[in-house]
Amino acid sequence: MSFRSPERRTVTDPRALRALAHPLRLALLDHLMAFGPRTASECAETVGSTASNCSYHLRSLAKFGLVEPAEADDGRERPWQSTATGLSFGRTDDPGFRLGADTAERLLADRQIDDQAELAHRALAQRDDQPEEWRDASMLSGYALRLTPAELKELGTKLDALIRPYIGLTRADPPEGSDVVALHLAAFRHPDAS
């Protein structure tokens, strides 16, 4: 895997948000961000689809600049790679697009929450099959914090700065024994807060 500079992309285009709301496209992008360049056939094995279907959806993601062709080891392979190491979703000031963007963003966020929960359930189900050092290092924690909006934003910025050096696509020389680890953080005002 080649070293990439870290880039978190903010997506505001409602068409790109709608494209990402498709579960297979989101799964493909997540897979490329986690594991680096992969062919449509390699992606198909992981996401449970066909190579031709994955190829179609990868081309759709490319239309919005979310993926791009990667260098191939030989002339026959056609690998794809993500164009960013992470995504965040922003608001647009264009009132004509705001409703569509808000709806697409909400659908995308719901899908990501479901996908993250499914991934955590799979990891828990396979926990006993993992090497002991990985079982001991894994964590599932929850916290109830009392913060101001400014403190929450500051905490998110600090956590992001701590995590970024470990992103698989940007870590040039990971130590021996390293592997892909899923880390999901969610922080929001509790829905039951008054």
Side-chain angles (χ1 to χ4, degrees), residues 116-137:
Q116 290 168 4
E118 191 271 333
L119 187 64
H121 287 296
R122 282 184 27 223
L124 286 172
Q126 298 171 5
R127 185 178 191 280
D128 292 339
D129 299 332
Q130 296 296 322
E132 185 176 347
E133 62 270 18
W134 283 107
R135 285 194 311 263
D136 291 344

Side-chain angles (χ1 to χ4, degrees), residues 2 4 32 36-40 55 58-73 77-84:
S2 62
R4 308 249 330 257
L32 294 177
R38 296 288 187 265
T39 64
S55 183
L58 286 163
R59 287 191 309 273
S60 294
L61 290 169
K63 289 178 186 175
F64 298 104
L66 299 168
V67 301
E68 64 188 5
E71 285 188 33
D73 292 336
E77 292 183 343
R78 296 181 59 144
W80 293 87
Q81 65 185 7
S82 65
T83 58

